[in-house]
Amino acid sequence: MQRQIGQVRTEQVRLFDRDHPLVLAGGEQLLEVDVSYETYGTLSEQRDNAVFICHALTGDAHAAGWREGDRRPGWWDTMIGPGKPLDTDRLFVVCANLLGGCQGTTGPASTNPATGEPYGLDFPLLQMADFVTVHRALLAHLGIERLLAAVGGSLGGMQVLQWALSHPEQLDNAVIIAASSRLSAQNIGFSAVGREAIMRDPDFHDGRYTEHGTNPAAGLSIARMLAHITYLSEEAMAAKFGRRIQDPETTGPGFGVDFAVESYLRHQGDTFLTRFDALSYLYLTRVMDWFEPFGEHDPRAVAEAGTRALVVSFDTDWRFATEHSREIVRRLESARVPVSFREIASVWGHDSFLLEIEDYHETVRAFVDRALERTHETVRTSGTLRGSR
Amino acid sequence: MQRQIGQVRTEQVRLFDRDHPLVLAGGEQLLEVDVSYETYGTLSEQRDNAVFICHALTGDAHAAGWREGDRRPGWWDTMIGPGKPLDTDRLFVVCANLLGGCQGTTGPASTNPATGEPYGLDFPLLQMADFVTVHRALLAHLGIERLLAAVGGSLGGMQVLQWALSHPEQLDNAVIIAASSRLSAQNIGFSAVGREAIMRDPDFHDGRYTEHGTNPAAGLSIARMLAHITYLSEEAMAAKFGRRIQDPETTGPGFGVDFAVESYLRHQGDTFLTRFDALSYLYLTRVMDWFEPFGEHDPRAVAEAGTRALVVSFDTDWRFATEHSREIVRRLESARVPVSFREIASVWGHDSFLLEIEDYHETVRAFVDRALERTHETVRTSGTLRGSR
């Protein structure tokens, strides 16, 4: 029987306040920033076994284990736990909701202390570097100076890349999965249509929907349905749904749910409403659109810091196709950063990064095991050095 | 200087009425059906040079030439005209708006003679066969019994396939471009999201928007923006827009139009509103979703009738990828229908079928030239036979 993390709790901490406001990369300030996070495993005495999980666009701090009342475990429970690729018997794993989110970390739906009302579109525009700033503050709060690794998929992988480029001295290893260092026109186009659906929903009220007692539910669920098409490969959709009729007994042609794929998308759109905020969707997708870190950071600093990278793509991912990962690999390698690159075979498209795919999990496991070994070698070496003094 | 068709006119004719209602494939009746159409070139004395153009989802009868006030010629003016692949010096070309459309042929926005109000969602659901029925009635009206060819791209190609399968005796040749004989789950998914955007627009009013003096403009333009992403290849979008900023002087990050690709999509969404009806969008996309003609028709009848087919796909088309065309080819060839198949190299994705791509145009030209030659051989042969009697 596989051991489990068991019960977990999401904590929340105020990391920035009026006395110590958060200064954003764009120059604006946030006077209050709360961050929600979870941890799994035990921090070693040497504080050298910490792994930070960067979540994707609609993820949250609850990456693994079960919270009270959960009907399913955290979103990456297959990856994180005792004996799992990110092995909590040996690692101390931290996951936190990102800035601009809506799952316990301050975002546009939070109360603006200057007005007592939700920020709405007065919330400042964010950059990927801001996510890193806030999560670095969390690490400082937890007494963690260095990370054995930062690990993330999709937007999370982009944050890991930002972290590696702007603060390589803090990262021994960067695991960048199904990510991109610059979105394509098509990527931006899909995001733009999703945002348009949200902002043109009359219930959006220029972002003041909470005050109006409404929610741009139609727009947000349309954005989510659309995004879901891009998360699955065409092959996966064919295998999962094909042209199957949703209810052969009663369904004839009409404008409701005729096909199973329509039922799936509608369900994804509807359930999303219960857990995600439309403004967070706008802010976070816009951060992705503008992300282009190699224009701002010299990757030679990564090589100098000794940071190593694992870059993983999936062969049927067309949201961030392998070419996006190859570009990251090229940029890092040309700066002599040690990079392992793997394109994993999987029918599941972009969603693969969330799934338990043996080759993928073993790749992450092997990379992290080797990272731990290197750390222990260093400890032994310095121990010997100290002993010989 | 290339010669042009010059000025053309869209005609309209009532083809079905209370005395001769249109009986649809689904069993329902339409008491009044008007059809708008254009013709180019001259019908030969033998009436053996007629080519019918089936238009795509949002096309219309105005395929070529200039109407009074036009700022651009018909949508397939590069394909149709004197000396062009569909050479109006030798061919008589007919193009008509399809049933359920909104450009002069009866559709859901037309007046329901039973109520005096627009049909709205009371318009009966359509099938691909209904498009063929109405266009066959137009040919009868024009005194044309047989077609040298039916030619169409995308939905138009699907109509040509339907025509070939259900009335092969009427078609000497079928030219099926960038089409599909059964949409994939992904194809249906994209259509479903577009329809959802339209139907969840509060201005849709259950299809009674005309009576309410509204138009589901937001929903319809979102559907169109989304569709446009699928019409272009990722490569074409990268070449056309890349990550270019729309207005580098004034544009910083925000939630308006930051990137050129956003400007393009928004423009496509906006201009679409001036020429297309939301209900037609629902009805026509649903016909495509359910289209699966090889389940209903035996392609051996096509072989027996002597109908030949040209099937064309484009290598970067991911709306209806080459695999869709190959499936059509496989089905026809296994029934011993003579099929020419060409996958054309083009960066422009699905939109390629509308563009002037040399290899593509020459392929269509050669096929149609050969078709004309065969007709003349038949005429000469029967002339000789008659002469020898």
Side-chain angles (χ1 to χ4, degrees):
Chain A
M1 203 187 97
Q2 193 166 33
R3 287 166 303 131
Q4 297 291 333
I5 289 184
Q7 198 157 326
V8 299
R9 260 179 64 142
T10 310
E11 310 284 343
Q12 196 181 42
V13 57
R14 175 151 301 174
L15 292 176
F16 298 91
D17 56 30
R18 280 163 197 275
D19 297 333
H20 305 280
L22 170 62
V23 181
L24 296 167
E28 294 192 78
Q29 296 196 353
L30 285 171
L31 299 183
E32 282 180 10
V33 176
D34 297 328
V35 173
S36 69
Y37 68 97
E38 295 188 5
T39 69
Y40 323 105
T42 308
L43 186 61
S44 65
E45 217 170 296
Q46 296 83 5
R47 299 174 175 266
D48 60 1
N49 68 333
V51 170
F52 196 95
I53 307 297
C54 298
H55 68 69
L57 177 60
T58 68
D60 55 34
H62 184 34
W66 298 74
R67 288 182 302 203
E68 223 177 300
D70 271 359
R71 288 191 305 171
R72 62 184 68 178
W75 57 269
W76 225 4
D77 193 71
T78 56
M79 182 66 92
I80 303 163
K84 293 181 183 173
L86 301 177
D87 184 354
T88 49
D89 287 342
R90 300 189 289 163
L91 301 170
F92 181 64
V93 177
V94 184
C95 183
N97 191 208
L98 46 65
L99 185 69
C102 51
Q103 314 264 14
T105 293
T106 298
S110 303
T111 301
N112 182 348
T115 64
E117 303 282 335
Y119 280 101
L121 289 170
D122 292 336
F123 198 75
L125 286 159
L126 303 177
Q127 299 180 27
M128 199 70 72
D130 299 319
F131 302 160
V132 174
T133 302
V134 170
H135 287 163
R136 278 166 48 80
L138 174 63
L139 290 182
H141 167 78
L142 296 173
I144 297 167
E145 200 181 314
R146 290 180 61 83
L147 290 171
L148 179 71
V151 182
S154 196
L155 169 57
M158 297 164 81
Q159 187 188 333
V160 172
L161 175 59
Q162 174 67 44
W163 205 326
L165 286 167
S166 56
H167 298 281
E169 75 291 346
Q170 190 169 33
L171 283 192
D172 289 341
N173 297 278
V175 180
I176 299 165
I177 305 163
S180 172
S181 62
R182 38 187 277 149
L183 266 59
S184 70
Q186 188 189 74
N187 295 148
I188 295 171
F190 279 123
S191 291
V193 176
R195 281 191 299 264
E196 194 87 355
I198 290 168
M199 292 192 294
R200 294 189 68 169
D201 186 325
D203 286 335
F204 182 65
H205 291 294
D206 265 333
R208 300 244 150 265
Y209 42 88
T210 310
E211 293 95 310
H212 281 81
T214 62
N215 187 35
L220 184 57
S221 58
I222 285 160
R224 181 64 168 176
M225 289 170 73
L226 169 53
H228 258 282
I229 300 178
T230 72
Y231 296 159
L232 274 179
S233 66
E234 171 140 41
E235 302 89 307
M237 286 190 107
K240 216 166 159 167
F241 311 110
R243 296 176 52 80
R244 201 167 69 247
I245 306 301
Q246 176 60 16
D247 183 353
E249 296 294 306
T250 60
T251 309
F255 296 116
V257 167
D258 292 1
F259 294 92
V261 64
E262 295 181 286
S263 171
Y264 168 80
L265 292 173
R266 198 174 280 199
H267 176 75
Q268 295 297 334
D270 288 347
T271 55
F272 191 54
L273 300 175
T274 64
R275 67 179 185 88
F276 213 78
D277 173 65
L279 282 162
S280 283
Y281 201 86
L282 299 185
Y283 276 84
L284 300 183
T285 57
R286 209 39 148 175
V287 171
M288 295 172 81
D289 290 351
W290 280 93
F291 183 59
E292 207 173 341
F294 288 112
E296 289 174 37
H297 299 280
D298 186 342
R300 284 177 298 187
V302 184
E304 281 157 25
T307 306
R308 292 162 186 269
L310 169 65
V311 177
V312 176
S313 72
F314 299 94
D315 61 353
T316 60
D317 182 353
W318 67 280
R319 164 81 179 152
F320 294 144
T322 289
E323 192 44 45
H324 288 263
S325 287
R326 275 193 214 285
E327 172 70 12
I328 296 171
V329 171
R330 266 195 297 271
R331 293 298 200 114
L332 292 176
E333 280 189 337
S334 72
R336 300 183 177 276
V337 178
V339 183
S340 303
F341 170 56
R342 285 292 301 280
E343 184 188 53
I344 305 284
S346 159
V347 297
W348 298 108
H350 190 63
D351 265 357
S352 301
F353 82 92
L354 293 167
L355 304 179
E356 191 172 359
I357 295 160
E358 192 180 352
D359 189 17
Y360 163 45
H361 274 204
E362 290 313 311
T363 297
V364 174
R365 182 194 298 276
F367 184 80
V368 173
D369 282 355
R370 183 75 192 97
L372 268 171
E373 279 166 27
R374 265 196 300 272
T375 304
H376 296 155
E377 282 160 20
T378 314
V379 170
R380 271 198 302 277
T381 312
S382 25
T384 310
L385 284 175
R386 255 199 302 274
S388 67
R389 250 189 228 141
Chain B
M1 200 188 95
Q2 191 165 30
R3 288 166 303 130
Q4 297 292 334
I5 289 184
Q7 197 156 329
V8 299
R9 259 179 63 141
T10 310
E11 310 284 344
Q12 196 182 42
V13 58
R14 174 149 304 174
L15 292 176
F16 298 91
D17 56 28
R18 279 162 198 276
D19 296 335
H20 307 281
L22 170 62
V23 181
L24 297 167
E28 295 192 76
Q29 296 196 355
L30 284 171
L31 298 184
E32 282 180 7
V33 176
D34 297 329
V35 174
S36 69
Y37 67 98
E38 295 187 6
T39 69
Y40 323 106
T42 309
L43 187 60
S44 66
E45 217 171 297
Q46 297 83 3
R47 299 175 177 266
D48 59 2
N49 68 336
V51 170
F52 196 95
I53 307 297
C54 298
H55 68 70
L57 177 60
T58 67
D60 56 32
H62 183 34
W66 298 75
R67 289 181 302 203
E68 221 176 303
D70 270 358
R71 289 190 304 169
R72 61 185 68 178
W75 56 269
W76 225 4
D77 193 71
T78 57
M79 182 67 91
I80 304 162
K84 294 182 183 173
L86 301 178
D87 183 354
T88 50
D89 286 342
R90 300 188 289 162
L91 301 170
F92 180 64
V93 177
V94 184
C95 184
N97 191 208
L98 46 64
L99 184 69
C102 50
Q103 314 264 15
T105 293
T106 297
S110 303
T111 301
N112 181 348
T115 65
E117 304 283 336
Y119 281 100
L121 289 171
D122 293 336
F123 199 74
L125 286 159
L126 303 177
Q127 299 180 30
M128 199 71 72
D130 298 320
F131 302 160
V132 175
T133 302
V134 169
H135 288 163
R136 279 166 47 81
L138 174 64
L139 289 182
H141 166 79
L142 296 173
I144 297 167
E145 199 181 315
R146 288 181 61 85
L147 290 171
L148 179 71
V151 182
S154 196
L155 169 57
M158 296 164 80
Q159 187 188 332
V160 172
L161 175 60
Q162 174 67 44
W163 206 325
L165 286 167
S166 57
H167 299 280
E169 75 290 346
Q170 190 169 32
L171 283 192
D172 289 342
N173 298 278
V175 180
I176 298 164
I177 305 164
S180 172
S181 62
R182 39 186 277 149
L183 266 58
S184 70
Q186 189 189 75
N187 296 147
I188 295 171
F190 278 123
S191 292
V193 175
R195 282 191 298 265
E196 193 86 355
I198 291 168
M199 291 192 293
R200 294 190 68 169
D201 186 326
D203 286 337
F204 182 65
H205 292 294
D206 265 334
R208 299 243 152 265
Y209 43 87
T210 311
E211 292 97 310
H212 281 81
T214 63
N215 187 34
L220 184 58
S221 57
I222 286 161
R224 181 63 169 176
M225 289 170 73
L226 169 53
H228 257 282
I229 300 178
T230 72
Y231 296 159
L232 274 179
S233 67
E234 169 141 40
E235 302 89 306
M237 287 191 108
K240 216 166 158 167
F241 311 109
R243 296 176 52 80
R244 202 167 68 246
I245 305 302
Q246 175 61 15
D247 184 352
E249 297 293 308
T250 60
T251 307
F255 296 115
V257 168
D258 292 359
F259 295 92
V261 63
E262 295 181 286
S263 172
Y264 168 80
L265 291 174
R266 199 174 278 199
H267 176 76
Q268 295 297 333
D270 288 347
T271 55
F272 191 53
L273 300 175
T274 64
R275 69 178 184 86
F276 213 78
D277 174 64
L279 282 162
S280 282
Y281 201 85
L282 299 186
Y283 276 83
L284 300 182
T285 56
R286 210 37 149 177
V287 171
M288 296 173 81
D289 290 351
W290 280 91
F291 183 58
E292 206 172 342
F294 288 112
E296 290 175 35
H297 300 279
D298 187 342
R300 285 177 298 188
V302 184
E304 281 158 23
T307 306
R308 291 163 187 269
L310 170 64
V311 177
V312 176
S313 72
F314 299 94
D315 61 352
T316 60
D317 182 354
W318 66 280
R319 164 83 179 151
F320 293 143
T322 290
E323 191 44 44
H324 288 263
S325 286
R326 276 193 213 284
E327 172 70 13
I328 296 171
V329 171
R330 265 194 298 271
R331 293 296 200 116
L332 292 176
E333 280 190 337
S334 72
R336 300 183 178 276
V337 178
V339 183
S340 302
F341 169 57
R342 286 290 302 280
E343 184 188 53
I344 305 284
S346 158
V347 298
W348 297 108
H350 190 61
D351 265 357
S352 301
F353 82 91
L354 294 166
L355 303 178
E356 191 172 359
I357 295 160
E358 192 179 351
D359 189 19
Y360 162 45
H361 274 204
E362 290 314 310
T363 297
V364 173
R365 182 193 297 276
F367 184 80
V368 173
D369 282 356
R370 184 74 192 98
L372 268 169
E373 278 167 25
R374 263 195 302 271
T375 305
H376 297 154
E377 282 162 18
T378 313
V379 170
R380 273 199 302 277
T381 312
S382 27
T384 311
L385 283 174
R386 257 199 302 274
S388 68
R389 250 189 229 142

